[in-house]
Amino acid sequence: MLTSRAEFALKDAAALSALLGYDWRQRELLTDLEMVGEAGRAGVLTGAQSASVLRHMQRLRWIAALHGVRPHGGRMRLWSLTDALRAQLALDLRDAAQIRLVQAIEALLQAGDPVRQALADWRAAAPLDTSGQARLDALTTEQLLGDDEALGLFARASIHRFVDRCGVHEAVAPAFLRTA
């Protein structure tokens, strides 16, 4: 969720440059490079080899880029932390079910409320209890893709792994981005 001050920073090149000086976990806004990485440096998304996967997810309306003004003209794509979570979730489902990305996104969209709720509650992401993990482990790919509640559990597990792996909860937002 972007504050009005952060939204202003996207329209002002100097402000955006200052904002990008902070760690992405603090600003909850990522560049393409931070999302997918570059040669020798991994991005936050596991399973994404290039920014083309982000464009593909954007075309499928799974994620939506924000645009910031570059200091020397032009625009740059930026991604909210929520969209990073959505992207990782789709990549995790693609890899776990060994299906195409478009199929993973379609399944997540069709699951509806359980997946939306997991994404909305990402700040409270906690590891699945043993019964939830056992249920996920026992499902076949067809059962997982056909069960909205199971996809909700899968989403919670994926989000928890991302938040834990990236240390998102350890970062404190800069004072000018705090809403309370």
Side-chain angles (χ1 to χ4, degrees), residues 2 14 18 29 35 41 53 62 68-69 78 89 101 108 112 130 138 140 148 154 166 174:
L2 290 175
L29 197 65
M35 289 279 272
R41 186 173 139 221
V53 75
W62 181 242
V69 177
L78 298 161
L89 172 56
L101 186 58
L108 291 167
T130 53
T140 65
D148 294 353
F154 184 88
C166 295

Side-chain angles (χ1 to χ4, degrees), residues 49 75 122 134 141:
Q49 302 303 319
R75 299 184 321 162
W122 72 264
T141 297

Side-chain angles (χ1 to χ4, degrees), residues 50-65 77 79 101-102 105-106 109:
S50 70
S52 65
V53 75
L54 299 175
R55 284 190 293 278
H56 185 53
M57 285 190 228
Q58 189 175 8
R59 279 191 303 274
L60 295 170
R61 299 183 191 277
W62 181 242
I63 60 176
R77 273 190 324 193
W79 306 95
L101 186 58
V102 67
I105 290 172
E106 286 172 359
L109 287 169

